[in-house]
Amino acid sequence: DAEITQSPRHKITETGRQVTLACHQTWNHNNMFWYRQDLGHGLRLIHYSYGVQDTNKGEVSDGYSVSRSNTEDLPLTLESAASSQTSVYFCASSRTGTYNEQFFGPGTRLTVL
Amino acid sequence: KQEVTQIPAALSVPEGENLVLNCSFTDSAIYNLQWFRQDPGKGLTSLLLIQSSQREQTSGRLNASLDKSSGRSTLYIAASQPGDSATYLCAVQAAGNKLTFGGGTRVLVKP
C-alpha cells in the first residue's frame, strides 16, 4: 500500500546543530508539505513543494530549508537548531493539481536542548 | 488572514451519545474543508473532505456539513464509542493548496 513515512520518529539534538528530518511518500504525489504542531499554535505550515526542484516558504519558514530532488522525498533541514524549534513535525502530501486531500505522515518529535 | 476556530476545546460524552463538533472560519473564500482525527502521539488521519460546492459529506457514522457563506462546518459522529476518543481537527484549504488548521477538539467518550 502507498504510504508516507518520516524518520527519525524521535530526535534529541543540541542548540546550534544542523538537523535533517526525512519524509518519503510512495503515493507518487507531486505536492508535499511540512508542518509543525505546538500547543497553543496548532499546526502551521513551514515549507511546501509542488514538484521536483520547486520549493516555497510557508507561514513559519525562518530557520528551515527544504530541497526537492525527486518526487518521493522532501527533507526538512534545520540549519542551526534553536530551542524554539522543539516541536512535532509532520509531513504531508497530496495529488497533482489543486485542492486535493492531504495525507499525513506519523510525525517526528524533535527536542532541542 | 484566515483564522479557524474550534469550540469547545474539549468534550466528554457517555457512550452512545451523538457527537457534534464545530468549526468556524473567517474567510469564506475556501476551496475545501477537511476533517482529521489525531490520536495521542500519532499523525493525522483524514476523515472527510468537503469541496466548497458541497453542503455535506458522509462516511459511515460520520457526517460533515459545510455552510461556506456563514463560515461554519459541523462534524457529526453518530452513536459514539470509546474508540472515537481522540482529537478532531478541521482545516480549510485556500489558494496554493495550503491548509489552515483549527486548534482541535479533544473528545472523550466514556464507556
Side-chain angles (χ1 to χ4, degrees):
Chain A
D1 287 344
E3 61 178 355
I4 181 166
T5 57
Q6 294 183 235
S7 62
R9 296 294 314 280
H10 302 270
K11 173 80 175 176
I12 300 174
T13 191
E14 295 176 345
T15 301
R17 291 191 179 264
Q18 184 180 78
V19 176
T20 297
L21 309 182
C23 175
H24 178 80
Q25 52 95 4
T26 58
W27 294 95
N28 200 34
H29 287 165
N30 269 355
N31 301 336
M32 294 184 73
F33 309 83
W34 274 104
Y35 297 86
R36 60 178 287 175
Q37 186 175 34
D38 305 285
L39 280 173
H41 290 281
L43 278 114
R44 293 177 291 173
L45 182 65
I46 305 171
H47 280 287
Y48 57 102
S49 168
Y50 293 146
V52 176
Q53 303 301 330
D54 176 75
T55 61
N56 305 280
K57 293 182 178 181
E59 181 186 359
V60 289
S61 61
D62 287 348
Y64 303 94
S65 63
V66 293
S67 62
R68 187 89 180 270
S69 58
N70 59 51
T71 299
E72 296 79 19
D73 300 288
L74 185 69
L76 176 71
T77 297
L78 287 68
E79 293 134 13
S80 178
S83 58
S84 61
Q85 294 176 308
T86 293
S87 185
V88 181
Y89 291 86
F90 289 101
C91 179
S93 70
S94 67
R95 286 188 291 119
T96 303
T98 53
Y99 319 121
N100 292 310
E101 188 175 9
Q102 290 191 19
F103 297 93
F104 281 72
T108 293
R109 181 175 295 277
L110 176 69
T111 302
V112 183
L113 300 176
Chain B
K1 180 184 172 184
Q2 177 75 266
E3 291 184 2
V4 181
T5 304
Q6 293 183 248
I7 295 173
L11 184 61
S12 178
V13 298
E15 182 177 1
E17 193 167 297
N18 295 334
L19 282 165
V20 180
L21 307 178
N22 298 304
C23 173
S24 62
F25 47 95
T26 55
D27 186 347
S28 61
I30 66 168
Y31 291 92
N32 62 49
L33 185 145
Q34 203 167 344
W35 281 95
F36 295 90
R37 169 185 171 136
Q38 185 175 29
D39 294 289
K42 305 289 186 182
L44 280 68
T45 301
S46 180
L47 297 174
L48 290 168
L49 181 145
I50 312 176
Q51 299 291 355
S52 62
S53 58
Q54 297 177 307
R55 296 286 290 182
E56 66 179 301
Q57 190 70 257
T58 298
S59 175
R61 293 185 295 113
L62 277 59
N63 175 276
S65 65
L66 174 64
D67 184 341
K68 201 173 84 160
S69 61
S70 67
R72 293 180 186 176
S73 176
T74 303
L75 178 66
Y76 300 90
I77 303 177
S80 62
Q81 304 167 358
D84 294 328
S85 298
T87 296
Y88 292 83
L89 298 159
C90 71
V92 297
Q93 192 166 68
N97 285 292
K98 291 172 280 187
L99 290 176
T100 301
F101 283 85
T105 295
R106 190 170 64 253
V107 170
L108 175 63
V109 180
K110 298 178 180 177

